[in-house]
Amino acid sequence: MKPPAFEYRAPETLEEALALLAERPEDAKPLAGGQSLVPAMNFRLAVPALLVDLNRVAELDWIREADGGVSFGAMTRQRAVERSELVAERAPLLSETLPHVAHPQIRNRGTIGGSVAHADPAAEMPAAMLALGARFRAARAGTPEGRWIEAAEFFTGLFGTALEPGELLVEMEVPAAPARTGWAFREFARRHGDYALVGVAAGVTLDEAGRCARTRIALLSVGDGPVAARAAEAAMEGEAPTNEVVRAAAEAAAAEIDPSSDIHAPAEYRRHLTRVLVDRALTAAAGRAGEEP
Ligand code: FAD
């Protein structure tokens, strides 16, 4: 199928892009890498009357140091983030996660902002951003400085976000992690590059005594959006990350989710994968935290 007719505009500045979105907030859509939006338009699942192409807006394409952490413009390509040395140093979870997103050709076009704004429950970036405690800046015409939204409040359900009509996601910021923090990402997909049946982004911070001072676990493909495994995080709190403690946390994660069955996997299999992958991700993250000075 092909999409119905739509108007196409390609602004060169953020101000112009915001003005265009403000003209028709209900039926205009930003076009980023087009890797999800264009297929959705071809299937007529998305029928925007106006497409605002962001690909010429250079001021949305950057990676910067941010107070010990790292930040990105929304139009930064997934591949650029994957290859960034600054990201590898400041947010290694993203460097480890991005190779699991689709294929290199898709990551060359797909953007970090598009992935976050699309909020696919099977996507890796929303879960990684949730685990990292990232925050997102949304701007609109007249207030280009916009407002900041925490990842935990940003994802609101199936392909749903806290972005309002006329708002554009412009920036994402990943805070500095505490000392002695290790991160890990694990997923299971039938073929590399496929959407995962289950994925886990995990971070473990150890205190001086080697006990878990903070644990972050975010799951993908087990709910309507990225899912924070709070009971599993609590099971690690104050404990040394022994095999038994990690196994108990993995059990807690499997018990607290409510995955659905579909043609790809029954719910029980997703629960089993969650148990296995949370165990592996926490073990890897705790091991890396222990190696930190
Ligand atoms: P687009 O497709 O351009 O936009 C997606 C949506 O976000 C649209 O609704 C658009 O209006 C909105 N949007 C874009 N930018 C903004 C913004 N700045 N502010 C507000 N709204 C915005 N993804 C995965 O995570 N994991 C996978 O395994 C995976 N496999 C894939 C396999 C194939 C074959 C393909 C084609 C895609 C796959 N993807 C996968 C999706 C890919 O990662 C997309 O690049 C990503 O989901 C969307 O990014 P984009 O820049 O292409 O956004």
Side-chain angles (χ1 to χ4, degrees):
M1 276 167 73
K2 288 291 163 214
F6 57 88
E7 196 185 331
Y8 171 85
R9 305 287 291 275
E12 297 197 350
T13 66
L14 175 58
E15 195 182 346
E16 283 174 65
L18 295 177
L20 284 166
L21 290 171
E23 270 176 29
R24 299 156 77 169
E26 297 296 340
D27 57 8
K29 257 194 180 297
L31 172 71
Q35 299 302 298
S36 297
L37 181 54
V38 172
M41 287 174 66
N42 285 341
F43 283 115
R44 302 196 176 195
L45 296 170
V47 282
L50 168 64
L51 211 53
V52 180
D53 186 345
L54 302 176
N55 283 278
R56 293 183 193 166
V57 183
E59 65 202 285
L60 289 177
D61 183 2
W62 48 266
I63 302 174
R64 283 184 207 138
E65 192 276 338
D67 204 14
V70 63
S71 57
F72 318 95
M75 283 299 290
T76 311
R77 306 290 166 184
Q78 294 161 353
R79 193 78 164 147
V81 175
E82 178 185 345
R83 291 179 161 180
S84 160
E85 284 179 19
L86 183 64
V87 173
E89 185 195 312
R90 302 287 171 89
L93 178 67
L94 294 180
S95 317
E96 182 166 297
T97 304
L98 275 160
H100 295 277
V101 176
H103 309 282
Q105 295 86 340
I106 290 162
R107 298 198 295 276
N108 282 336
R109 293 295 303 164
T111 63
I112 293 289
S115 203
V116 165
H118 191 51
D120 188 324
E124 286 83 358
M125 275 307 98
M129 291 291 186
L130 182 60
L132 287 163
R135 60 181 194 144
F136 309 128
R137 186 160 65 87
R140 63 164 61 250
T143 51
E145 69 285 359
R147 63 183 178 119
W148 284 100
I149 310 167
E150 300 293 325
E153 272 86 52
F154 186 83
F155 301 104
T156 55
L158 202 57
F159 297 98
T161 71
L163 289 174
E164 290 168 4
E167 273 189 328
L168 187 71
L169 174 62
V170 291
E171 177 178 356
M172 285 144 284
E173 188 179 279
V174 174
R180 303 200 77 203
T181 298
W183 298 99
F185 182 82
R186 295 289 183 272
E187 74 170 34
F188 180 77
R190 289 194 197 285
R191 296 171 304 185
H192 185 83
D194 280 4
Y195 280 101
L197 295 182
V198 174
V200 182
V204 174
T205 304
L206 298 177
D207 64 16
E208 301 276 297
R211 297 180 191 280
C212 298
R214 191 187 84 160
T215 304
R216 295 285 181 266
I217 304 168
L219 307 167
L220 57 103
S221 276
V222 299
D224 286 349
V227 174
R230 298 286 182 223
E233 292 173 357
M236 300 281 288
E237 198 66 38
E239 304 284 347
T242 59
N243 290 347
E244 292 68 34
V245 167
V246 166
R247 201 169 304 132
E251 287 293 345
E256 71 183 293
I257 56 169
D258 185 19
S260 52
S261 297
D262 57 27
I263 55 165
H264 303 293
E268 247 341 278
Y269 185 51
R270 286 205 157 91
R271 213 181 281 284
H272 166 74
L273 284 176
T274 299
R275 194 178 293 116
V276 172
L277 294 170
V278 167
D279 192 316
R280 290 180 187 173
L282 285 176
T283 301
R288 290 169 181 172
E291 288 162 11
E292 288 282 302

Short mmCIF file of all heavy atoms in Angstrom, two decimals, residues 93-94 96-97 123-132 182-187 198-204 215-220 226-229 233 277-278 281-282 285:
data_model
loop_
_atom_site.label_atom_id
_atom_site.label_comp_id
_atom_site.label_asym_id
_atom_site.label_seq_id
_atom_site.Cartn_x
_atom_site.Cartn_y
_atom_site.Cartn_z
N LEU A 93 26.08 1.71 28.72
CA LEU A 93 24.88 0.89 28.48
C LEU A 93 24.35 1.13 27.06
O LEU A 93 23.91 0.20 26.38
CB LEU A 93 23.80 1.21 29.52
CG LEU A 93 22.48 0.44 29.32
CD1 LEU A 93 22.67 -1.05 29.58
CD2 LEU A 93 21.39 0.99 30.24
N LEU A 94 24.40 2.38 26.61
CA LEU A 94 23.88 2.69 25.26
C LEU A 94 24.77 2.07 24.19
O LEU A 94 24.28 1.53 23.20
CB LEU A 94 23.79 4.21 25.05
CG LEU A 94 22.77 4.94 25.93
CD1 LEU A 94 22.77 6.43 25.62
CD2 LEU A 94 21.37 4.36 25.73
N GLU A 96 26.45 -0.60 24.45
CA GLU A 96 26.22 -2.06 24.44
C GLU A 96 24.84 -2.40 23.86
O GLU A 96 24.68 -3.46 23.24
CB GLU A 96 26.31 -2.60 25.88
CG GLU A 96 26.12 -4.10 25.96
CD GLU A 96 26.56 -4.66 27.32
OE1 GLU A 96 27.75 -4.55 27.64
OE2 GLU A 96 25.70 -5.21 28.04
N THR A 97 23.89 -1.51 24.05
CA THR A 97 22.51 -1.80 23.63
C THR A 97 22.29 -1.55 22.14
O THR A 97 21.58 -2.32 21.47
CB THR A 97 21.53 -0.91 24.45
OG1 THR A 97 21.75 -1.15 25.83
CG2 THR A 97 20.09 -1.23 24.11
N ALA A 123 11.13 -1.87 21.70
CA ALA A 123 12.36 -1.15 21.32
C ALA A 123 13.35 -1.11 22.48
O ALA A 123 12.96 -1.07 23.65
CB ALA A 123 12.02 0.26 20.87
N GLU A 124 14.63 -1.09 22.12
CA GLU A 124 15.68 -1.12 23.13
C GLU A 124 15.92 0.24 23.79
O GLU A 124 16.19 0.31 24.99
CB GLU A 124 17.01 -1.60 22.51
CG GLU A 124 17.08 -3.08 22.19
CD GLU A 124 16.45 -3.45 20.85
OE1 GLU A 124 15.92 -2.56 20.16
OE2 GLU A 124 16.45 -4.64 20.49
N MET A 125 15.87 1.32 22.99
CA MET A 125 16.26 2.63 23.54
C MET A 125 15.37 3.10 24.69
O MET A 125 15.89 3.58 25.70
CB MET A 125 16.27 3.70 22.43
CG MET A 125 17.55 3.79 21.64
SD MET A 125 19.03 3.99 22.64
CE MET A 125 19.62 2.32 22.70
N PRO A 126 14.04 2.96 24.59
CA PRO A 126 13.23 3.40 25.74
C PRO A 126 13.62 2.68 27.04
O PRO A 126 13.73 3.32 28.10
CB PRO A 126 11.81 3.06 25.30
CG PRO A 126 11.86 3.17 23.80
CD PRO A 126 13.20 2.62 23.43
N ALA A 127 13.84 1.37 26.98
CA ALA A 127 14.21 0.63 28.19
C ALA A 127 15.58 1.09 28.71
O ALA A 127 15.77 1.30 29.91
CB ALA A 127 14.21 -0.87 27.92
N ALA A 128 16.53 1.27 27.79
CA ALA A 128 17.87 1.70 28.22
C ALA A 128 17.79 3.09 28.87
O ALA A 128 18.40 3.34 29.92
CB ALA A 128 18.83 1.70 27.03
N MET A 129 17.01 3.98 28.25
CA MET A 129 16.88 5.35 28.80
C MET A 129 16.20 5.33 30.17
O MET A 129 16.55 6.10 31.06
CB MET A 129 16.08 6.23 27.83
CG MET A 129 16.83 6.54 26.54
SD MET A 129 18.24 7.64 26.83
CE MET A 129 18.76 7.95 25.13
N LEU A 130 15.24 4.44 30.33
CA LEU A 130 14.55 4.34 31.62
C LEU A 130 15.53 3.85 32.69
O LEU A 130 15.59 4.40 33.79
CB LEU A 130 13.36 3.37 31.49
CG LEU A 130 12.49 3.17 32.72
CD1 LEU A 130 11.86 4.48 33.18
CD2 LEU A 130 11.40 2.14 32.44
N ALA A 131 16.31 2.82 32.37
CA ALA A 131 17.28 2.31 33.34
C ALA A 131 18.32 3.38 33.70
O ALA A 131 18.74 3.49 34.85
CB ALA A 131 17.98 1.07 32.77
N LEU A 132 18.70 4.18 32.71
CA LEU A 132 19.72 5.20 32.93
C LEU A 132 19.19 6.42 33.69
O LEU A 132 19.96 7.31 34.06
CB LEU A 132 20.29 5.67 31.58
CG LEU A 132 21.22 4.67 30.87
CD1 LEU A 132 21.39 5.06 29.39
CD2 LEU A 132 22.58 4.61 31.55
N GLY A 182 28.02 -0.49 37.46
CA GLY A 182 28.22 -1.30 36.25
C GLY A 182 26.89 -1.43 35.54
O GLY A 182 25.83 -1.46 36.17
N TRP A 183 26.94 -1.51 34.21
CA TRP A 183 25.73 -1.60 33.38
C TRP A 183 25.81 -2.85 32.50
O TRP A 183 26.90 -3.28 32.13
CB TRP A 183 25.61 -0.39 32.46
CG TRP A 183 25.48 0.92 33.17
CD1 TRP A 183 26.47 1.82 33.40
CD2 TRP A 183 24.28 1.47 33.72
NE1 TRP A 183 25.96 2.91 34.09
CE2 TRP A 183 24.63 2.71 34.29
CE3 TRP A 183 22.95 1.03 33.81
CZ2 TRP A 183 23.69 3.53 34.92
CZ3 TRP A 183 22.02 1.85 34.43
CH2 TRP A 183 22.39 3.08 34.98
N ALA A 184 24.67 -3.37 32.12
CA ALA A 184 24.67 -4.48 31.15
C ALA A 184 23.33 -4.55 30.43
O ALA A 184 22.29 -4.17 31.01
CB ALA A 184 24.94 -5.81 31.86
N PHE A 185 23.37 -4.99 29.20
CA PHE A 185 22.14 -5.19 28.43
C PHE A 185 22.14 -6.62 27.89
O PHE A 185 23.15 -7.10 27.38
CB PHE A 185 22.07 -4.20 27.25
CG PHE A 185 20.80 -4.37 26.46
CD1 PHE A 185 19.63 -3.78 26.89
CD2 PHE A 185 20.77 -5.15 25.31
CE1 PHE A 185 18.44 -3.97 26.20
CE2 PHE A 185 19.59 -5.35 24.62
CZ PHE A 185 18.42 -4.75 25.05
N ARG A 186 21.01 -7.30 28.04
CA ARG A 186 20.85 -8.66 27.49
C ARG A 186 19.48 -8.75 26.84
O ARG A 186 18.50 -8.21 27.36
CB ARG A 186 20.94 -9.71 28.61
CG ARG A 186 22.29 -9.81 29.31
CD ARG A 186 23.36 -10.41 28.39
NE ARG A 186 24.64 -10.56 29.06
CZ ARG A 186 25.59 -9.62 29.13
NH1 ARG A 186 25.39 -8.45 28.56
NH2 ARG A 186 26.72 -9.86 29.75
N GLU A 187 19.41 -9.43 25.69
CA GLU A 187 18.10 -9.67 25.10
C GLU A 187 18.09 -11.00 24.37
O GLU A 187 19.15 -11.58 24.07
CB GLU A 187 17.69 -8.54 24.14
CG GLU A 187 18.42 -8.53 22.81
CD GLU A 187 17.81 -7.55 21.80
OE1 GLU A 187 17.31 -6.48 22.19
OE2 GLU A 187 17.85 -7.86 20.59
N VAL A 198 12.26 -10.60 24.63
CA VAL A 198 12.44 -9.93 25.93
C VAL A 198 13.84 -9.30 25.93
O VAL A 198 14.77 -9.86 25.34
CB VAL A 198 12.33 -10.91 27.13
CG1 VAL A 198 12.68 -10.22 28.45
CG2 VAL A 198 10.93 -11.50 27.24
N GLY A 199 13.96 -8.17 26.58
CA GLY A 199 15.27 -7.53 26.76
C GLY A 199 15.36 -6.92 28.14
O GLY A 199 14.33 -6.59 28.75
N VAL A 200 16.58 -6.77 28.64
CA VAL A 200 16.81 -6.24 29.99
C VAL A 200 17.97 -5.25 29.97
O VAL A 200 19.06 -5.60 29.51
CB VAL A 200 17.18 -7.37 30.99
CG1 VAL A 200 17.37 -6.80 32.39
CG2 VAL A 200 16.15 -8.47 30.98
N ALA A 201 17.72 -4.06 30.48
CA ALA A 201 18.80 -3.09 30.71
C ALA A 201 18.97 -2.98 32.22
O ALA A 201 17.99 -2.75 32.93
CB ALA A 201 18.43 -1.73 30.11
N ALA A 202 20.19 -3.19 32.71
CA ALA A 202 20.39 -3.20 34.16
C ALA A 202 21.61 -2.39 34.57
O ALA A 202 22.61 -2.32 33.84
CB ALA A 202 20.56 -4.65 34.65
N GLY A 203 21.50 -1.79 35.74
CA GLY A 203 22.63 -1.05 36.32
C GLY A 203 22.72 -1.37 37.80
O GLY A 203 21.69 -1.40 38.50
N VAL A 204 23.94 -1.65 38.27
CA VAL A 204 24.15 -1.95 39.70
C VAL A 204 25.23 -1.02 40.24
O VAL A 204 26.30 -0.89 39.64
CB VAL A 204 24.58 -3.42 39.91
CG1 VAL A 204 24.94 -3.69 41.37
CG2 VAL A 204 23.47 -4.38 39.46
N THR A 215 20.03 -0.24 42.35
CA THR A 215 19.88 -1.16 41.21
C THR A 215 18.80 -0.61 40.29
O THR A 215 17.77 -0.12 40.76
CB THR A 215 19.46 -2.57 41.69
OG1 THR A 215 20.43 -3.03 42.63
CG2 THR A 215 19.39 -3.55 40.53
N ARG A 216 19.07 -0.63 39.00
CA ARG A 216 18.08 -0.19 38.01
C ARG A 216 17.85 -1.33 37.02
O ARG A 216 18.83 -1.86 36.45
CB ARG A 216 18.60 1.04 37.26
CG ARG A 216 18.78 2.25 38.12
CD ARG A 216 17.44 2.90 38.45
NE ARG A 216 17.61 4.09 39.27
CZ ARG A 216 17.55 4.10 40.60
NH1 ARG A 216 17.34 2.99 41.27
NH2 ARG A 216 17.69 5.23 41.27
N ILE A 217 16.60 -1.69 36.84
CA ILE A 217 16.27 -2.76 35.89
C ILE A 217 15.09 -2.30 35.04
O ILE A 217 14.02 -1.97 35.58
CB ILE A 217 15.87 -4.06 36.62
CG1 ILE A 217 16.98 -4.51 37.58
CG2 ILE A 217 15.55 -5.17 35.61
CD1 ILE A 217 16.56 -5.60 38.55
N ALA A 218 15.27 -2.26 33.72
CA ALA A 218 14.16 -1.91 32.82
C ALA A 218 14.04 -3.01 31.77
O ALA A 218 15.04 -3.47 31.22
CB ALA A 218 14.39 -0.56 32.17
N LEU A 219 12.80 -3.42 31.54
CA LEU A 219 12.52 -4.55 30.64
C LEU A 219 11.81 -4.06 29.38
O LEU A 219 11.06 -3.09 29.43
CB LEU A 219 11.61 -5.55 31.35
CG LEU A 219 12.09 -6.03 32.72
CD1 LEU A 219 10.97 -6.76 33.45
CD2 LEU A 219 13.29 -6.95 32.55
N LEU A 220 12.04 -4.76 28.27
CA LEU A 220 11.29 -4.45 27.06
C LEU A 220 10.56 -5.70 26.57
O LEU A 220 10.94 -6.84 26.91
CB LEU A 220 12.22 -3.90 25.97
CG LEU A 220 13.41 -4.73 25.54
CD1 LEU A 220 13.13 -5.40 24.20
CD2 LEU A 220 14.63 -3.83 25.42
N PRO A 226 8.35 0.43 28.13
CA PRO A 226 9.44 -0.09 28.96
C PRO A 226 8.93 -0.26 30.39
O PRO A 226 8.17 0.57 30.88
CB PRO A 226 10.51 1.00 28.87
CG PRO A 226 9.77 2.25 28.51
CD PRO A 226 8.59 1.81 27.68
N VAL A 227 9.34 -1.34 31.05
CA VAL A 227 8.80 -1.66 32.38
C VAL A 227 9.94 -1.64 33.41
O VAL A 227 10.93 -2.37 33.26
CB VAL A 227 8.15 -3.07 32.38
CG1 VAL A 227 7.73 -3.49 33.79
CG2 VAL A 227 6.95 -3.10 31.43
N ALA A 228 9.81 -0.82 34.43
CA ALA A 228 10.79 -0.81 35.52
C ALA A 228 10.44 -1.96 36.47
O ALA A 228 9.31 -2.05 36.95
CB ALA A 228 10.74 0.52 36.25
N ALA A 229 11.41 -2.83 36.73
CA ALA A 229 11.16 -4.00 37.59
C ALA A 229 11.47 -3.61 39.03
O ALA A 229 12.55 -3.92 39.57
CB ALA A 229 12.01 -5.17 37.12
N GLU A 233 14.43 -4.70 41.72
CA GLU A 233 15.40 -3.71 42.21
C GLU A 233 15.47 -3.76 43.74
O GLU A 233 16.55 -3.76 44.33
CB GLU A 233 14.99 -2.30 41.75
CG GLU A 233 15.11 -2.08 40.26
CD GLU A 233 14.55 -0.75 39.78
OE1 GLU A 233 13.99 0.00 40.60
OE2 GLU A 233 14.65 -0.47 38.57
N LEU A 277 17.20 -13.67 31.67
CA LEU A 277 17.95 -12.49 31.21
C LEU A 277 18.23 -11.49 32.33
O LEU A 277 19.28 -10.85 32.34
CB LEU A 277 17.19 -11.81 30.06
CG LEU A 277 17.09 -12.66 28.78
CD1 LEU A 277 16.13 -12.02 27.78
CD2 LEU A 277 18.47 -12.84 28.13
N VAL A 278 17.30 -11.37 33.28
CA VAL A 278 17.57 -10.46 34.42
C VAL A 278 18.74 -11.03 35.22
O VAL A 278 19.65 -10.29 35.63
CB VAL A 278 16.30 -10.29 35.30
CG1 VAL A 278 16.66 -9.62 36.62
CG2 VAL A 278 15.25 -9.47 34.56
N ALA A 281 21.88 -10.26 33.18
CA ALA A 281 22.21 -8.82 33.12
C ALA A 281 22.72 -8.33 34.47
O ALA A 281 23.70 -7.59 34.54
CB ALA A 281 20.99 -8.03 32.67
N LEU A 282 22.05 -8.75 35.56
CA LEU A 282 22.49 -8.31 36.89
C LEU A 282 23.87 -8.86 37.23
O LEU A 282 24.71 -8.16 37.81
CB LEU A 282 21.48 -8.75 37.95
CG LEU A 282 20.16 -7.97 38.00
CD1 LEU A 282 19.23 -8.58 39.03
CD2 LEU A 282 20.39 -6.49 38.30
N ALA A 285 26.32 -6.78 35.25
CA ALA A 285 26.40 -5.40 35.74
C ALA A 285 27.13 -5.35 37.08
O ALA A 285 27.99 -4.49 37.30
CB ALA A 285 24.99 -4.81 35.86
#
